[in-house]
Every structure is written in C-alpha cells, then in structure tokens.
Amino acid sequence: MHIGLQRHWCIFTSAGDKNVIHHWLEGNIPQRFDLIVAYYGENNYMFYEIDKICTYAFRTKGSKFQNLKKLILQNPKFFDQYSYVWICDDDIPMSSAQINEAFELAETLDFWVAQPAMRPEGKNGHWITCFAGAQWDYRIVNFVEVGLPIFRCDKLIEFLSVYDGSLTGWGIDHWYANLFKANDFGRFAVFDRIQVLNPRDEAKGGNEMGRLRSAAQREADWKIVRQKFDLVEYPPKIFAYCKLAPKGELFRIFDQIGGEYHPIIPAWSARLRRSRVPGMARFVKAILVVKAVWEIARRSSWYDAIFFLICGLSIRRQRRAIGHGFEI
C-alpha cells in the first residue's frame, strides 16, 4: 500500500491486462481520490505497473463485486475513511477531472448511488443511464447500472452485508435497487453533466465478464437470487430532470470591488480603487460579468445565462438598497 494524503473518495476496480486505469490518474489537476485495484490477470509485470500507481493493489480472481466482497471480509474497516466509493469497470476511459466532479456531485447532493451518463455511441444496455442532453445536469432515477455505481460508503457496506457473492454482474444493480427502495426514494442519480464511454466488445477485444461466466449462466444466477430474496426488476423511471444553480461564489462579480461586500479579486481590488483611469473598476467588473454569462451560455444555454444575469443584478440592487437606509 502506498501511503500519501488521506482522501475521502475512493475508486475500486477489478483490472485485467486490457485496463485503462492509467487514464484516471492523468492530467495536471490534483487527484482527490484513492485507487484500489484487484488484479485478476497473470502478467507479473502488469501487476507491478498497477501497484506502482495505486493506493492499494492485490491479486485475486473473480468479478468486481466478488473481489470487493473478499476485501471487506478480510478487512471490514477498509473503507471506513471514505465518504464515497466508486465501483467502476476497468475499461471506462475518463479523466481525473471527470472523476473529481462525479464524486463532488454525489457528495454535495447526498445521493446514495449515482453514475455519470453513458455516451450513446458506446455499449449500453439501459436507456435510462444514457446521456439525456446538455439541458440537464442530472436526473433523479430508480436505476444505476452495475458497471460504474458511485456508492455513499455506508450504503455500500450495507449492500455488501447482504450480497453473498453469487452474482457476477447480471442482476446486482437490481439487487441494490431493491435493498435501497430506489423506486420509492429519490436517492439514485445519473449525472448528464458528466459523460463517459463504455467501449464496445469489438473495440476492447472481447468481453471479460463473458470469459468469467457466460451470459446464460449469469442470467440463471440472477433468477435464483431474485426468487430467493423476492426481488423485482423495477421498470426504469425518471423522477426529475435537474439543473445545478450557479455557485454562490460566481455572484461576487456583481459586488462592489473592494467595498464592504466580497471583492471580486482580492489581490486586485485595492489597486483598482486607486487607479487613475476613470471607471477602471466598473470596466473590469463588466468584463468579468460578460465572461461569466458567455461561459454559462456555452456550457448550458442562453436561457440559463440570462437567468444568471437577472439574479446577479437583483442581488446587487438589494445589497445597494440595504446600504442606503432601507434596512428593516
């Protein structure tokens, strides 16, 4: 195990020789998550390379949730330091920025189970998890698929306490949906703000799960578990289409520069107030407002950008009114 900064997010995966987990650690942004890998391949050099980049790596055979169950049985408190754990397939190419954002959304909105949206050109088995369009940031749903669920840690431990290791993929997502009553509570989500690709079998040289256990066997296993625990397959349901409100920090650009309100850029505010160029502070503020409106329009829509502008100007008027003797 490689000890470094203590982080409260974690990705767990079972990796073979065709994994793409190195992509998860690339980029110049800070890595805000730990990576735990169960390696099921036979290549000693591959395991050495994986072990070098991971927080913790070990060798075992089995599917992702089976190997996760083994880890918990050996060390029941292994995940206690984490608030969210992402159980992700090893062949999903995504960046550190996407991973950080997905964890942040899940934790900020306090979902029990969530996932990024799937790009439609990939291999997708459930329409509800596919990207629904840029007009939404996330959807509250009753189903998150087994390939890449992000669990709130207490919910993951709760599921692993009932999961017996008999399923190798097929039906696991229905199992935890039943356990957490996903059809009744709005605590599952798909993040359309983040899209990832699940490569098709021909692009990645076959289906590793199929080599472990055939589709017919996995389906038969699910039927046994479904009957044993009286589980149901909920018809896919979207409870709500949602957008994130602009961050409060962004509205600071409507405040007075260097005044009694929050300054836009603290390091510049004093210099702008002393500037001999008439209206320099107002000019800089206007430029920042235009930039913010353009970024919102580019990322979301002009409707959202105009809404942001109206809200910001309203906040500015209210604050100025308070400063002119209108306090209650």
Side-chain angles (χ1 to χ4, degrees), residues 282-297:
R282 291 181 180 179
F283 176 74
V284 171
K285 184 161 60 175
I287 293 297
L288 293 174
V289 169
V290 170
K291 180 177 182 295
V293 169
W294 169 249
E295 287 296 325
I296 293 173

Side-chain angles (χ1 to χ4, degrees), residues 101-160:
E101 186 174 17
F103 273 125
E104 187 172 10
L105 282 176
E107 185 159 68
T108 300
L109 300 171
D110 194 29
F111 286 117
W112 292 354
V113 190
Q115 70 164 88
M118 310 302 294
R119 286 164 48 185
E121 64 267 31
K123 176 184 177 182
N124 301 307
H126 307 278
W127 66 265
I128 195 171
T129 62
C130 291
F131 177 55
Q135 65 270 41
W136 317 113
D137 286 322
Y138 64 96
R139 285 167 287 141
I140 300 174
V141 297
N142 68 344
F143 180 83
V144 167
E145 66 180 280
V146 71
L148 59 172
I150 306 168
F151 283 87
R152 202 174 75 181
C153 192
D154 60 329
K155 294 300 176 182
L156 175 62
I157 300 305
E158 184 179 347
F159 174 63
L160 291 176

Side-chain angles (χ1 to χ4, degrees), residues 249-269:
E249 294 291 318
L250 193 57
F251 285 113
R252 291 187 177 186
I253 60 178
F254 293 94
D255 292 344
Q256 296 179 1
I257 293 184
E260 60 180 306
Y261 309 128
H262 299 292
I264 304 171
I265 310 170
W268 290 5
S269 56

Side-chain angles (χ1 to χ4, degrees), residues 220-234:
D221 293 338
W222 161 237
K223 289 179 179 179
I224 293 171
V225 169
R226 183 177 60 187
Q227 184 175 6
K228 178 181 179 180
F229 294 101
D230 194 25
L231 304 176
V232 298
E233 297 184 23
Y234 296 134

